[in-house]
Amino acid sequence: FRMDLIEKTDVIVILNNLFENAIEAASKCENGYVKSFFFCQNAGHFSVIKIMNSYRGEIVIQDDLPVSSKGDKKLHGYGVVNVMETVKKYSGNFQYSHEDDVYTAVVVLPKLAK
């Protein structure tokens, strides 16, 4: 797994937003959990971040994005957008899914020539 291929501030944007959302959602569950996986695919040509967490309640999707459940919508709800924009900057891919009270976020970053 290679994170040295992207700027440190971009690593922080991706990991901070994904983990903050996952921890917040899992903390609302009786037996909440967050699982993270960091690995390479295709002989090291892609670095993958996969974060899975428990959640309770309904996930509302608007304009193909999950809507923040936090009270003040003017101050919250930008995390996933920031992750998407940062991943796009490196020609990567960001996907999320939710099923059976498990939310999964996956970031795939290609190995870029330095």
Side-chain angles (χ1 to χ4, degrees), residues 2 4-7 44-47 86-92 109-114:
R2 303 276 314 263
D4 60 329
L5 302 174
I6 66 173
E7 295 175 31
H45 291 285
F46 296 95
S47 290
T86 302
V87 169
K88 184 178 179 181
K89 177 178 171 180
Y90 296 94
S91 301
L109 297 168
K111 179 180 177 182
L112 303 173
K114 284 191 165 189

Side-chain angles (χ1 to χ4, degrees), residues 12-50:
I12 292 168
V13 167
I14 293 168
L15 294 179
N16 180 64
N17 283 296
L18 293 180
F19 275 115
E20 184 178 334
N21 290 347
I23 290 167
E24 181 179 341
S27 71
K28 295 176 183 176
C29 300
E30 184 176 328
N31 294 311
Y33 65 88
V34 176
K35 296 179 182 180
S36 59
F37 306 90
F38 299 84
F39 55 94
C40 286
Q41 289 278 146
N42 294 17
H45 291 285
F46 296 95
S47 290
V48 180
I49 302 166
K50 182 176 183 178

Side-chain angles (χ1 to χ4, degrees), residues 101-114:
D101 298 330
V102 177
Y103 182 90
T104 303
V106 179
V107 171
V108 179
L109 297 168
K111 179 180 177 182
L112 303 173
K114 284 191 165 189

